[in-house]
Amino acid sequence: MPSEPHAGTPVATAGKPPGQRGEDVIHNIGYRNYEGARLGRRYARTSLFQQSLRGAYGLGRSAKSKVLPMILFAVMCVPAAIVVAVTVFTKAKEMPVGYNEYVIIMQPVIGVFIAAMAPQAVSLDLRFRVVPLYFSRPIERSDYVGAKYAALAAAIFVFTATSALILYVGALLAKLDFGDETKGFALGLVCCLVFSVLHAGIALAVAAATPRRGFGVAAIIAVLTIPYMLVNALQAIVASQDNDPAVGWLGLASPGSLVDGLQSKFLDGKHSFPGGPPDLTGAQASAYALLTVLLIAGTYALLLRRYRKAGL
Amino acid sequence: MYNQTVARLTYKALLGRRRALLLFALPLLLLVVAVAVRLLGDVDDDVTKQLLGGFAMATIVPLIGVVAGTGAIGPEIDDGSVVYLLAKPTRRAGIIITKLIVAIGVTVAFSAIPVFLAGYILNGNSQQIAVAYAAAAAAASVAYSALFLLLGTVSRHAVVIGLVYALIWEALFGSMVPGARELSVQQWALTLAQKIGGSGAGITSEVGLTMGVTLLAAATVGGAWYASRRLRVFTLAGEE
């Protein structure tokens, strides 16, 4: 048996200094290991967050996918600008619409934005079966879920907080009281934050359940608006029967009225429940806060569970 | 014009799988709420009107219209299988009319009947309220089906556009801008309810009866005509 130079030597090249690699393998087709810096889990996580956030507004995507978010963004901001114009020109003593109130009134627009963007963030990955590719990177399941959750919440926050900012700047231009307005604006931002985190969780949990984008859009709209309309109708009925405590308890049943009740109790706002002023009682307020926390934690846990199986 | 096979396929597409889940869930929700309201407190005509007008007509009927109207043709165009249908020697206007009839049938069945039942559960059809709202729901269903079928042939994002119309235009702008209410299928259909409902019922609508019925008919016929036109000039090659 002729003695081949390779005979008996292991194919493995581990431990060899770079450059001499491959001298003793059968075929050296020139593959090299990556020797640059490894950016790691944290970098992958922030990239995923950034890309998802930009994607929600169509940045870095085709011109066609910029149309819908930008139109909705304009629809969200223009009424705020009109409110500002009215306040400045009529020299009103205060804004006709509060910061929190504005977010609650514009809910249908925000709802459409959320419904269009949440499936875009998660359903397409599922549909084209690229989720396993994400997990072949150094990120963990919680990184993917956390990044997507944070990105959608940030997108909704930007969507809502921008119009609050327009109202605030307008209030200062109209020379309204600086202290009052700043306090209202700060509380308004907190309201936007709670709204964003809660709605992002609900929308993502629904979107992650279906790989079909169209179906996800319809399902999210249904989950967000049908309970809200139902709660409104029921509250009006109960209010006309002079059953005030029930109005507050009914508000628990939809995400929109949940945020509405929360902001009226904790963030110095007025709720738009039918039947008017009677505020939430202490027990109701704690139920609202508890349910909000439970929903946020619950949807996050559901998402984690959804991505437990890498094959999907 | 009516094509049995196309009708059968459309029924299957509408009532099969997950779409049917939504179609059954919405009316069921309405009935459950009606029963709950009835059991919880004394129900008068005002409460019935609030629930049927504020929830059923404003939310359930348009949503069922969106699901059935766009569902009759949208998915076929989306996954490209409409090509096999168009390649057959059937008139395209015939395809649209068949699909429209099926969509109307499904929408009426899933919206008008539950509305009538809910009204009957709530106050036993006093002042003809249940009949009035059921008639309005049926009339609105016809117009919604035609409009959303048209949307399905015009855009790939028919569901989103349909929902935007149903929720933002009819619910949000309708409540803030009075003029927007006159341009809403819901208000046109409510003229019928106003006519049928007893004088004590006090159902109101923004437009007159003749105006409402004319607009409903115009929306239906116009929607169907333009949809068949869209299908006639449908390009077989994909856009992207």
Side-chain angles (χ1 to χ4, degrees), chain B residues 65-146:
Chain B
V66 171
V67 172
T70 59
I73 197 158
E76 269 180 278
I77 293 181
D78 224 22
D79 65 16
S81 64
V82 74
V83 166
Y84 302 109
L85 184 58
L86 296 182
K88 298 278 181 294
T90 33
R91 283 175 59 96
R92 299 205 175 167
I95 295 176
I96 287 293
I97 288 175
T98 310
K99 283 188 179 294
L100 181 60
I101 291 171
V102 173
I104 289 174
V106 170
T107 319
V108 170
F110 281 91
S111 62
I113 296 172
V115 166
F116 175 74
L117 287 179
Y120 208 83
I121 292 169
L122 283 167
N123 73 348
N125 202 17
S126 97
Q127 297 282 2
Q128 294 286 320
I129 287 180
V131 176
Y133 274 108
S141 304
V142 175
Y144 280 134
S145 302

Side-chain angles (χ1 to χ4, degrees), chain A residues 198 202 223 227-228 230-232 234-235 245-262 266 273 280-295:
Chain A
L198 177 67
I202 295 171
V223 167
Y228 186 66
L230 180 61
V231 165
N232 262 344
L234 287 181
Q235 281 178 328
V247 172
W249 289 117
L250 276 172
L252 284 170
S254 90
S257 51
L258 187 63
V259 175
D260 198 3
L262 268 184
F266 298 108
F273 292 165
L280 301 180
T281 60
Q284 282 173 343
S286 40
Y288 271 64
L290 188 68
L291 185 64
T292 309
V293 172
L294 270 182
L295 271 178

Side-chain angles (χ1 to χ4, degrees), chain B residues 19 23 30 39 69 79 93 97 127 144 152 182 206-207 220:
Chain B
R19 203 170 280 276
L23 278 178
L30 178 63
L39 292 180
D79 65 16
I97 288 175
Q127 297 282 2
Y144 280 134
E182 289 168 24
E206 293 289 316
V207 289
T220 313

Side-chain angles (χ1 to χ4, degrees), chain A residues 95-279:
Chain A
M95 290 289 223
V97 186
Y99 299 100
N100 302 347
E101 241 179 294
Y102 188 78
V103 174
I104 303 294
I105 292 174
M106 294 303 279
Q107 264 197 87
V109 180
I110 308 171
V112 171
F113 177 75
I114 298 171
M117 293 315 144
Q120 195 267 320
V122 291
S123 299
L124 294 183
D125 288 347
L126 291 169
R127 179 169 186 184
F128 298 111
R129 300 182 182 280
V130 290
V131 178
L133 296 183
Y134 283 104
F135 293 128
S136 69
R137 303 271 109 196
I139 60 168
E140 299 283 324
R141 185 158 49 113
S142 58
D143 295 329
Y144 180 83
V145 172
K148 289 287 185 188
Y149 197 134
L152 189 65
I156 304 171
F157 182 73
V158 169
F159 195 77
T160 49
T162 307
S163 44
L165 183 66
I166 293 175
L167 288 178
Y168 177 61
V169 171
L172 296 188
L173 286 178
K175 294 203 175 3
L176 301 183
D177 185 70
F178 180 76
D180 282 356
E181 291 302 322
T182 310
K183 180 167 169 260
F185 178 57
L187 291 176
L189 286 185
V190 177
C191 174
C192 290
L193 189 69
V194 174
F195 186 94
S196 314
V197 174
L198 177 67
H199 282 71
I202 295 171
L204 278 181
V206 176
T210 168
R212 309 251 319 250
R213 211 179 64 96
F215 193 81
V217 171
I220 293 172
I221 289 263
V223 167
L224 291 184
T225 50
I226 294 176
Y228 186 66
M229 298 281 196
L230 180 61
V231 165
N232 262 344
L234 287 181
Q235 281 178 328
I237 290 171
V238 172
S240 69
Q241 292 168 340
D242 292 326
N243 191 351
D244 287 332
V247 172
W249 289 117
L250 276 172
L252 284 170
S254 90
S257 51
L258 187 63
V259 175
D260 198 3
L262 268 184
Q263 61 91 10
S264 77
K265 190 72 186 177
F266 298 108
L267 299 174
D268 206 15
K270 288 192 292 275
H271 61 65
S272 50
F273 292 165
D279 254 343

